[in-house]
mmCIF file with all atom_site columns, all heavy atoms in Angstrom:
data_model
loop_
_atom_site.group_PDB
_atom_site.id
_atom_site.type_symbol
_atom_site.label_atom_id
_atom_site.label_alt_id
_atom_site.label_comp_id
_atom_site.label_asym_id
_atom_site.label_entity_id
_atom_site.label_seq_id
_atom_site.pdbx_PDB_ins_code
_atom_site.Cartn_x
_atom_site.Cartn_y
_atom_site.Cartn_z
_atom_site.occupancy
_atom_site.B_iso_or_equiv
_atom_site.pdbx_formal_charge
_atom_site.auth_seq_id
_atom_site.auth_comp_id
_atom_site.auth_asym_id
_atom_site.auth_atom_id
_atom_site.pdbx_PDB_model_num
ATOM 1   N N   . GLU A 1 184 ? 4.099  12.225  86.723 1.00 92.00 ? 343 GLU A N   1
ATOM 2   C CA  . GLU A 1 184 ? 5.041  12.497  85.628 1.00 92.00 ? 343 GLU A CA  1
ATOM 3   C C   . GLU A 1 184 ? 5.658  11.195  85.121 1.00 92.00 ? 343 GLU A C   1
ATOM 4   O O   . GLU A 1 184 ? 5.785  10.967  83.932 1.00 92.00 ? 343 GLU A O   1
ATOM 5   C CB  . GLU A 1 184 ? 6.160  13.432  86.091 1.00 92.00 ? 343 GLU A CB  1
ATOM 6   C CG  . GLU A 1 184 ? 5.711  14.855  86.288 1.00 92.00 ? 343 GLU A CG  1
ATOM 7   C CD  . GLU A 1 184 ? 6.784  15.707  86.946 1.00 92.00 ? 343 GLU A CD  1
ATOM 8   O OE1 . GLU A 1 184 ? 7.629  15.138  87.639 1.00 92.00 ? 343 GLU A OE1 1
ATOM 9   O OE2 . GLU A 1 184 ? 6.776  16.917  86.735 1.00 92.00 ? 343 GLU A OE2 1
ATOM 10  N N   . LEU A 1 192 ? 6.369  5.619   76.638 1.00 97.00 ? 351 LEU A N   1
ATOM 11  C CA  . LEU A 1 192 ? 7.251  4.501   76.380 1.00 97.00 ? 351 LEU A CA  1
ATOM 12  C C   . LEU A 1 192 ? 6.456  3.269   75.936 1.00 97.00 ? 351 LEU A C   1
ATOM 13  O O   . LEU A 1 192 ? 6.909  2.522   75.087 1.00 97.00 ? 351 LEU A O   1
ATOM 14  C CB  . LEU A 1 192 ? 8.061  4.143   77.643 1.00 97.00 ? 351 LEU A CB  1
ATOM 15  C CG  . LEU A 1 192 ? 9.107  5.150   78.051 1.00 97.00 ? 351 LEU A CG  1
ATOM 16  C CD1 . LEU A 1 192 ? 9.667  4.780   79.420 1.00 97.00 ? 351 LEU A CD1 1
ATOM 17  C CD2 . LEU A 1 192 ? 10.221 5.232   77.000 1.00 97.00 ? 351 LEU A CD2 1
ATOM 18  N N   . THR A 1 199 ? 7.759  -0.289  68.357 1.00 95.00 ? 358 THR A N   1
ATOM 19  C CA  . THR A 1 199 ? 9.074  -0.844  68.033 1.00 95.00 ? 358 THR A CA  1
ATOM 20  C C   . THR A 1 199 ? 8.985  -2.366  67.888 1.00 95.00 ? 358 THR A C   1
ATOM 21  O O   . THR A 1 199 ? 9.543  -2.943  66.949 1.00 95.00 ? 358 THR A O   1
ATOM 22  C CB  . THR A 1 199 ? 10.106 -0.504  69.148 1.00 95.00 ? 358 THR A CB  1
ATOM 23  O OG1 . THR A 1 199 ? 10.153 0.915   69.286 1.00 95.00 ? 358 THR A OG1 1
ATOM 24  C CG2 . THR A 1 199 ? 11.483 -1.005  68.806 1.00 95.00 ? 358 THR A CG2 1
ATOM 25  N N   . ASP A 1 207 ? 8.691  1.375   57.394 1.00 87.00 ? 366 ASP A N   1
ATOM 26  C CA  . ASP A 1 207 ? 8.951  2.788   57.093 1.00 87.00 ? 366 ASP A CA  1
ATOM 27  C C   . ASP A 1 207 ? 7.934  3.378   56.137 1.00 87.00 ? 366 ASP A C   1
ATOM 28  O O   . ASP A 1 207 ? 7.805  4.600   56.060 1.00 87.00 ? 366 ASP A O   1
ATOM 29  C CB  . ASP A 1 207 ? 10.380 2.949   56.520 1.00 87.00 ? 366 ASP A CB  1
ATOM 30  C CG  . ASP A 1 207 ? 11.381 3.082   57.649 1.00 87.00 ? 366 ASP A CG  1
ATOM 31  O OD1 . ASP A 1 207 ? 10.974 3.011   58.818 1.00 87.00 ? 366 ASP A OD1 1
ATOM 32  O OD2 . ASP A 1 207 ? 12.561 3.307   57.350 1.00 87.00 ? 366 ASP A OD2 1
ATOM 33  N N   . LEU A 1 210 ? 5.478  6.066   57.142 1.00 90.00 ? 369 LEU A N   1
ATOM 34  C CA  . LEU A 1 210 ? 5.865  7.485   57.184 1.00 90.00 ? 369 LEU A CA  1
ATOM 35  C C   . LEU A 1 210 ? 5.389  8.240   55.923 1.00 90.00 ? 369 LEU A C   1
ATOM 36  O O   . LEU A 1 210 ? 5.289  9.457   55.913 1.00 90.00 ? 369 LEU A O   1
ATOM 37  C CB  . LEU A 1 210 ? 7.385  7.626   57.322 1.00 90.00 ? 369 LEU A CB  1
ATOM 38  C CG  . LEU A 1 210 ? 7.983  7.116   58.613 1.00 90.00 ? 369 LEU A CG  1
ATOM 39  C CD1 . LEU A 1 210 ? 9.495  7.240   58.593 1.00 90.00 ? 369 LEU A CD1 1
ATOM 40  C CD2 . LEU A 1 210 ? 7.448  7.895   59.800 1.00 90.00 ? 369 LEU A CD2 1
ATOM 41  N N   . SER A 1 336 ? 12.413 -10.656 66.150 1.00 93.00 ? 495 SER A N   1
ATOM 42  C CA  . SER A 1 336 ? 13.393 -9.704  65.594 1.00 93.00 ? 495 SER A CA  1
ATOM 43  C C   . SER A 1 336 ? 14.109 -8.971  66.706 1.00 93.00 ? 495 SER A C   1
ATOM 44  O O   . SER A 1 336 ? 13.634 -8.949  67.857 1.00 93.00 ? 495 SER A O   1
ATOM 45  C CB  . SER A 1 336 ? 12.699 -8.724  64.663 1.00 93.00 ? 495 SER A CB  1
ATOM 46  O OG  . SER A 1 336 ? 11.836 -7.927  65.413 1.00 93.00 ? 495 SER A OG  1
ATOM 47  N N   . LEU A 1 337 ? 15.217 -8.308  66.353 1.00 94.00 ? 496 LEU A N   1
ATOM 48  C CA  . LEU A 1 337 ? 15.925 -7.454  67.315 1.00 94.00 ? 496 LEU A CA  1
ATOM 49  C C   . LEU A 1 337 ? 14.979 -6.344  67.773 1.00 94.00 ? 496 LEU A C   1
ATOM 50  O O   . LEU A 1 337 ? 14.941 -6.008  68.970 1.00 94.00 ? 496 LEU A O   1
ATOM 51  C CB  . LEU A 1 337 ? 17.164 -6.861  66.660 1.00 94.00 ? 496 LEU A CB  1
ATOM 52  C CG  . LEU A 1 337 ? 18.042 -5.953  67.488 1.00 94.00 ? 496 LEU A CG  1
ATOM 53  C CD1 . LEU A 1 337 ? 18.499 -6.609  68.757 1.00 94.00 ? 496 LEU A CD1 1
ATOM 54  C CD2 . LEU A 1 337 ? 19.271 -5.497  66.684 1.00 94.00 ? 496 LEU A CD2 1
ATOM 55  N N   . LEU A 1 341 ? 13.990 -5.180  71.596 1.00 96.00 ? 500 LEU A N   1
ATOM 56  C CA  . LEU A 1 341 ? 14.138 -3.810  72.070 1.00 96.00 ? 500 LEU A CA  1
ATOM 57  C C   . LEU A 1 341 ? 12.785 -3.243  72.524 1.00 96.00 ? 500 LEU A C   1
ATOM 58  O O   . LEU A 1 341 ? 12.683 -2.639  73.592 1.00 96.00 ? 500 LEU A O   1
ATOM 59  C CB  . LEU A 1 341 ? 14.728 -2.936  70.960 1.00 96.00 ? 500 LEU A CB  1
ATOM 60  C CG  . LEU A 1 341 ? 16.178 -3.282  70.570 1.00 96.00 ? 500 LEU A CG  1
ATOM 61  C CD1 . LEU A 1 341 ? 16.567 -2.531  69.279 1.00 96.00 ? 500 LEU A CD1 1
ATOM 62  C CD2 . LEU A 1 341 ? 17.122 -2.930  71.700 1.00 96.00 ? 500 LEU A CD2 1
ATOM 63  N N   . TYR A 1 351 ? 7.220  -1.305  84.710 1.00 95.00 ? 510 TYR A N   1
ATOM 64  C CA  . TYR A 1 351 ? 7.933  -1.053  85.975 1.00 95.00 ? 510 TYR A CA  1
ATOM 65  C C   . TYR A 1 351 ? 7.745  0.390   86.429 1.00 95.00 ? 510 TYR A C   1
ATOM 66  O O   . TYR A 1 351 ? 7.402  0.665   87.591 1.00 95.00 ? 510 TYR A O   1
ATOM 67  C CB  . TYR A 1 351 ? 9.409  -1.401  85.811 1.00 95.00 ? 510 TYR A CB  1
ATOM 68  C CG  . TYR A 1 351 ? 10.256 -1.001  86.963 1.00 95.00 ? 510 TYR A CG  1
ATOM 69  C CD1 . TYR A 1 351 ? 10.208 -1.709  88.176 1.00 95.00 ? 510 TYR A CD1 1
ATOM 70  C CD2 . TYR A 1 351 ? 11.094 0.100   86.887 1.00 95.00 ? 510 TYR A CD2 1
ATOM 71  C CE1 . TYR A 1 351 ? 10.972 -1.324  89.237 1.00 95.00 ? 510 TYR A CE1 1
ATOM 72  C CE2 . TYR A 1 351 ? 11.875 0.488   87.950 1.00 95.00 ? 510 TYR A CE2 1
ATOM 73  C CZ  . TYR A 1 351 ? 11.816 -0.223  89.137 1.00 95.00 ? 510 TYR A CZ  1
ATOM 74  O OH  . TYR A 1 351 ? 12.552 0.169   90.204 1.00 95.00 ? 510 TYR A OH  1
ATOM 75  N N   . LEU A 1 352 ? 7.965  1.330   85.489 1.00 95.00 ? 511 LEU A N   1
ATOM 76  C CA  . LEU A 1 352 ? 7.855  2.748   85.822 1.00 95.00 ? 511 LEU A CA  1
ATOM 77  C C   . LEU A 1 352 ? 6.421  3.118   86.222 1.00 95.00 ? 511 LEU A C   1
ATOM 78  O O   . LEU A 1 352 ? 6.221  3.930   87.128 1.00 95.00 ? 511 LEU A O   1
ATOM 79  C CB  . LEU A 1 352 ? 8.289  3.616   84.660 1.00 95.00 ? 511 LEU A CB  1
ATOM 80  C CG  . LEU A 1 352 ? 9.776  3.670   84.353 1.00 95.00 ? 511 LEU A CG  1
ATOM 81  C CD1 . LEU A 1 352 ? 10.042 4.352   83.035 1.00 95.00 ? 511 LEU A CD1 1
ATOM 82  C CD2 . LEU A 1 352 ? 10.533 4.378   85.474 1.00 95.00 ? 511 LEU A CD2 1
ATOM 83  N N   . GLN A 1 359 ? 4.951  6.871   94.124 1.00 48.00 ? 518 GLN A N   1
ATOM 84  C CA  . GLN A 1 359 ? 5.451  8.228   94.375 1.00 48.00 ? 518 GLN A CA  1
ATOM 85  C C   . GLN A 1 359 ? 4.356  9.271   94.354 1.00 48.00 ? 518 GLN A C   1
ATOM 86  O O   . GLN A 1 359 ? 4.542  10.379  94.785 1.00 48.00 ? 518 GLN A O   1
ATOM 87  C CB  . GLN A 1 359 ? 6.502  8.594   93.320 1.00 48.00 ? 518 GLN A CB  1
ATOM 88  C CG  . GLN A 1 359 ? 7.808  7.853   93.543 1.00 48.00 ? 518 GLN A CG  1
ATOM 89  C CD  . GLN A 1 359 ? 8.568  7.699   92.255 1.00 48.00 ? 518 GLN A CD  1
ATOM 90  O OE1 . GLN A 1 359 ? 8.135  8.148   91.202 1.00 48.00 ? 518 GLN A OE1 1
ATOM 91  N NE2 . GLN A 1 359 ? 9.728  7.068   92.315 1.00 48.00 ? 518 GLN A NE2 1
ATOM 92  N N   . GLU B 1 184 ? 16.224 4.168   91.312 1.00 92.00 ? 221 GLU B N   1
ATOM 93  C CA  . GLU B 1 184 ? 15.504 3.181   90.471 1.00 92.00 ? 221 GLU B CA  1
ATOM 94  C C   . GLU B 1 184 ? 15.101 3.763   89.148 1.00 92.00 ? 221 GLU B C   1
ATOM 95  O O   . GLU B 1 184 ? 15.270 3.134   88.095 1.00 92.00 ? 221 GLU B O   1
ATOM 96  C CB  . GLU B 1 184 ? 14.252 2.720   91.218 1.00 92.00 ? 221 GLU B CB  1
ATOM 97  C CG  . GLU B 1 184 ? 14.525 1.794   92.367 1.00 92.00 ? 221 GLU B CG  1
ATOM 98  C CD  . GLU B 1 184 ? 13.242 1.484   93.168 1.00 92.00 ? 221 GLU B CD  1
ATOM 99  O OE1 . GLU B 1 184 ? 12.326 2.344   93.142 1.00 92.00 ? 221 GLU B OE1 1
ATOM 100 O OE2 . GLU B 1 184 ? 13.184 0.444   93.818 1.00 92.00 ? 221 GLU B OE2 1
ATOM 101 N N   . LEU B 1 192 ? 16.668 2.248   79.210 1.00 97.00 ? 229 LEU B N   1
ATOM 102 C CA  . LEU B 1 192 ? 15.951 2.852   78.081 1.00 97.00 ? 229 LEU B CA  1
ATOM 103 C C   . LEU B 1 192 ? 16.918 3.537   77.125 1.00 97.00 ? 229 LEU B C   1
ATOM 104 O O   . LEU B 1 192 ? 16.718 3.516   75.914 1.00 97.00 ? 229 LEU B O   1
ATOM 105 C CB  . LEU B 1 192 ? 14.942 3.876   78.590 1.00 97.00 ? 229 LEU B CB  1
ATOM 106 C CG  . LEU B 1 192 ? 13.729 3.318   79.338 1.00 97.00 ? 229 LEU B CG  1
ATOM 107 C CD1 . LEU B 1 192 ? 12.930 4.472   79.930 1.00 97.00 ? 229 LEU B CD1 1
ATOM 108 C CD2 . LEU B 1 192 ? 12.880 2.489   78.385 1.00 97.00 ? 229 LEU B CD2 1
ATOM 109 N N   . THR B 1 199 ? 17.563 1.070   69.026 1.00 95.00 ? 236 THR B N   1
ATOM 110 C CA  . THR B 1 199 ? 16.397 1.184   68.164 1.00 95.00 ? 236 THR B CA  1
ATOM 111 C C   . THR B 1 199 ? 16.630 2.220   67.065 1.00 95.00 ? 236 THR B C   1
ATOM 112 O O   . THR B 1 199 ? 16.342 1.997   65.895 1.00 95.00 ? 236 THR B O   1
ATOM 113 C CB  . THR B 1 199 ? 15.146 1.569   68.975 1.00 95.00 ? 236 THR B CB  1
ATOM 114 O OG1 . THR B 1 199 ? 14.957 0.602   69.999 1.00 95.00 ? 236 THR B OG1 1
ATOM 115 C CG2 . THR B 1 199 ? 13.903 1.626   68.114 1.00 95.00 ? 236 THR B CG2 1
ATOM 116 N N   . ASP B 1 207 ? 18.878 -7.488  62.050 1.00 87.00 ? 244 ASP B N   1
ATOM 117 C CA  . ASP B 1 207 ? 18.571 -8.749  62.710 1.00 87.00 ? 244 ASP B CA  1
ATOM 118 C C   . ASP B 1 207 ? 19.722 -9.755  62.615 1.00 87.00 ? 244 ASP B C   1
ATOM 119 O O   . ASP B 1 207 ? 19.781 -10.699 63.377 1.00 87.00 ? 244 ASP B O   1
ATOM 120 C CB  . ASP B 1 207 ? 17.308 -9.363  62.102 1.00 87.00 ? 244 ASP B CB  1
ATOM 121 C CG  . ASP B 1 207 ? 16.062 -8.818  62.804 1.00 87.00 ? 244 ASP B CG  1
ATOM 122 O OD1 . ASP B 1 207 ? 16.228 -7.930  63.667 1.00 87.00 ? 244 ASP B OD1 1
ATOM 123 O OD2 . ASP B 1 207 ? 14.963 -9.261  62.461 1.00 87.00 ? 244 ASP B OD2 1
ATOM 124 N N   . LEU B 1 210 ? 21.695 -10.875 65.634 1.00 90.00 ? 247 LEU B N   1
ATOM 125 C CA  . LEU B 1 210 ? 21.194 -11.934 66.519 1.00 90.00 ? 247 LEU B CA  1
ATOM 126 C C   . LEU B 1 210 ? 21.871 -13.293 66.204 1.00 90.00 ? 247 LEU B C   1
ATOM 127 O O   . LEU B 1 210 ? 21.864 -14.199 67.049 1.00 90.00 ? 247 LEU B O   1
ATOM 128 C CB  . LEU B 1 210 ? 19.680 -12.080 66.392 1.00 90.00 ? 247 LEU B CB  1
ATOM 129 C CG  . LEU B 1 210 ? 18.847 -10.892 66.873 1.00 90.00 ? 247 LEU B CG  1
ATOM 130 C CD1 . LEU B 1 210 ? 17.383 -11.106 66.579 1.00 90.00 ? 247 LEU B CD1 1
ATOM 131 C CD2 . LEU B 1 210 ? 19.073 -10.617 68.343 1.00 90.00 ? 247 LEU B CD2 1
ATOM 132 N N   . LEU B 1 335 ? 15.231 9.690   57.585 1.00 90.00 ? 372 LEU B N   1
ATOM 133 C CA  . LEU B 1 335 ? 15.076 9.180   58.942 1.00 90.00 ? 372 LEU B CA  1
ATOM 134 C C   . LEU B 1 335 ? 14.042 8.073   58.932 1.00 90.00 ? 372 LEU B C   1
ATOM 135 O O   . LEU B 1 335 ? 12.993 8.195   58.304 1.00 90.00 ? 372 LEU B O   1
ATOM 136 C CB  . LEU B 1 335 ? 14.624 10.289  59.872 1.00 90.00 ? 372 LEU B CB  1
ATOM 137 C CG  . LEU B 1 335 ? 15.656 11.421  60.085 1.00 90.00 ? 372 LEU B CG  1
ATOM 138 C CD1 . LEU B 1 335 ? 15.090 12.480  61.041 1.00 90.00 ? 372 LEU B CD1 1
ATOM 139 C CD2 . LEU B 1 335 ? 16.964 10.878  60.636 1.00 90.00 ? 372 LEU B CD2 1
ATOM 140 N N   . SER B 1 336 ? 14.345 6.951   59.593 1.00 93.00 ? 373 SER B N   1
ATOM 141 C CA  . SER B 1 336 ? 13.430 5.832   59.615 1.00 93.00 ? 373 SER B CA  1
ATOM 142 C C   . SER B 1 336 ? 12.437 5.948   60.778 1.00 93.00 ? 373 SER B C   1
ATOM 143 O O   . SER B 1 336 ? 12.640 6.748   61.700 1.00 93.00 ? 373 SER B O   1
ATOM 144 C CB  . SER B 1 336 ? 14.216 4.535   59.759 1.00 93.00 ? 373 SER B CB  1
ATOM 145 O OG  . SER B 1 336 ? 14.853 4.508   61.030 1.00 93.00 ? 373 SER B OG  1
ATOM 146 N N   . LEU B 1 337 ? 11.375 5.154   60.684 1.00 94.00 ? 374 LEU B N   1
ATOM 147 C CA  . LEU B 1 337 ? 10.421 5.077   61.820 1.00 94.00 ? 374 LEU B CA  1
ATOM 148 C C   . LEU B 1 337 ? 11.150 4.631   63.070 1.00 94.00 ? 374 LEU B C   1
ATOM 149 O O   . LEU B 1 337 ? 10.901 5.160   64.171 1.00 94.00 ? 374 LEU B O   1
ATOM 150 C CB  . LEU B 1 337 ? 9.309  4.104   61.456 1.00 94.00 ? 374 LEU B CB  1
ATOM 151 C CG  . LEU B 1 337 ? 8.191  3.878   62.489 1.00 94.00 ? 374 LEU B CG  1
ATOM 152 C CD1 . LEU B 1 337 ? 7.524  5.200   62.862 1.00 94.00 ? 374 LEU B CD1 1
ATOM 153 C CD2 . LEU B 1 337 ? 7.152  2.904   61.971 1.00 94.00 ? 374 LEU B CD2 1
ATOM 154 N N   . LEU B 1 341 ? 11.204 6.367   66.821 1.00 96.00 ? 378 LEU B N   1
ATOM 155 C CA  . LEU B 1 341 ? 10.843 5.639   68.042 1.00 96.00 ? 378 LEU B CA  1
ATOM 156 C C   . LEU B 1 341 ? 12.009 5.634   69.009 1.00 96.00 ? 378 LEU B C   1
ATOM 157 O O   . LEU B 1 341 ? 11.829 5.892   70.222 1.00 96.00 ? 378 LEU B O   1
ATOM 158 C CB  . LEU B 1 341 ? 10.421 4.209   67.693 1.00 96.00 ? 378 LEU B CB  1
ATOM 159 C CG  . LEU B 1 341 ? 9.149  4.103   66.867 1.00 96.00 ? 378 LEU B CG  1
ATOM 160 C CD1 . LEU B 1 341 ? 8.980  2.677   66.341 1.00 96.00 ? 378 LEU B CD1 1
ATOM 161 C CD2 . LEU B 1 341 ? 7.936  4.487   67.704 1.00 96.00 ? 378 LEU B CD2 1
ATOM 162 N N   . TYR B 1 351 ? 14.669 12.666  80.248 1.00 95.00 ? 388 TYR B N   1
ATOM 163 C CA  . TYR B 1 351 ? 13.703 13.271  81.182 1.00 95.00 ? 388 TYR B CA  1
ATOM 164 C C   . TYR B 1 351 ? 13.668 12.489  82.506 1.00 95.00 ? 388 TYR B C   1
ATOM 165 O O   . TYR B 1 351 ? 13.730 13.076  83.575 1.00 95.00 ? 388 TYR B O   1
ATOM 166 C CB  . TYR B 1 351 ? 12.337 13.290  80.513 1.00 95.00 ? 388 TYR B CB  1
ATOM 167 C CG  . TYR B 1 351 ? 11.218 13.685  81.443 1.00 95.00 ? 388 TYR B CG  1
ATOM 168 C CD1 . TYR B 1 351 ? 11.075 15.016  81.827 1.00 95.00 ? 388 TYR B CD1 1
ATOM 169 C CD2 . TYR B 1 351 ? 10.339 12.748  81.934 1.00 95.00 ? 388 TYR B CD2 1
ATOM 170 C CE1 . TYR B 1 351 ? 10.062 15.404  82.693 1.00 95.00 ? 388 TYR B CE1 1
ATOM 171 C CE2 . TYR B 1 351 ? 9.326  13.098  82.800 1.00 95.00 ? 388 TYR B CE2 1
ATOM 172 C CZ  . TYR B 1 351 ? 9.196  14.438  83.174 1.00 95.00 ? 388 TYR B CZ  1
ATOM 173 O OH  . TYR B 1 351 ? 8.184  14.795  84.056 1.00 95.00 ? 388 TYR B OH  1
ATOM 174 N N   . LEU B 1 352 ? 13.568 11.165  82.395 1.00 95.00 ? 389 LEU B N   1
ATOM 175 C CA  . LEU B 1 352 ? 13.487 10.335  83.593 1.00 95.00 ? 389 LEU B CA  1
ATOM 176 C C   . LEU B 1 352 ? 14.764 10.444  84.432 1.00 95.00 ? 389 LEU B C   1
ATOM 177 O O   . LEU B 1 352 ? 14.712 10.475  85.657 1.00 95.00 ? 389 LEU B O   1
ATOM 178 C CB  . LEU B 1 352 ? 13.240 8.861   83.232 1.00 95.00 ? 389 LEU B CB  1
ATOM 179 C CG  . LEU B 1 352 ? 11.845 8.520   82.737 1.00 95.00 ? 389 LEU B CG  1
ATOM 180 C CD1 . LEU B 1 352 ? 11.833 7.109   82.185 1.00 95.00 ? 389 LEU B CD1 1
ATOM 181 C CD2 . LEU B 1 352 ? 10.826 8.656   83.866 1.00 95.00 ? 389 LEU B CD2 1
ATOM 182 N N   . GLN B 1 359 ? 14.143 12.976  92.915 1.00 48.00 ? 396 GLN B N   1
ATOM 183 C CA  . GLN B 1 359 ? 13.502 12.096  93.898 1.00 48.00 ? 396 GLN B CA  1
ATOM 184 C C   . GLN B 1 359 ? 14.491 11.380  94.795 1.00 48.00 ? 396 GLN B C   1
ATOM 185 O O   . GLN B 1 359 ? 14.114 10.832  95.803 1.00 48.00 ? 396 GLN B O   1
ATOM 186 C CB  . GLN B 1 359 ? 12.662 11.040  93.155 1.00 48.00 ? 396 GLN B CB  1
ATOM 187 C CG  . GLN B 1 359 ? 11.411 11.640  92.538 1.00 48.00 ? 396 GLN B CG  1
ATOM 188 C CD  . GLN B 1 359 ? 10.965 10.854  91.327 1.00 48.00 ? 396 GLN B CD  1
ATOM 189 O OE1 . GLN B 1 359 ? 11.593 9.903   90.920 1.00 48.00 ? 396 GLN B OE1 1
ATOM 190 N NE2 . GLN B 1 359 ? 9.869  11.288  90.721 1.00 48.00 ? 396 GLN B NE2 1
#
Side-chain angles (χ1 to χ4, degrees):
Chain A
E343 286 172 335
L351 290 172
T358 303
D366 274 3
L369 294 176
S495 65
L496 180 56
L500 294 169
Y510 171 74
L511 287 170
Q518 288 154 0
Chain B
E221 285 173 334
L229 290 173
T236 303
D244 275 3
L247 295 175
L372 295 180
S373 66
L374 180 56
L378 294 169
Y388 172 74
L389 287 170
Q396 288 153 357

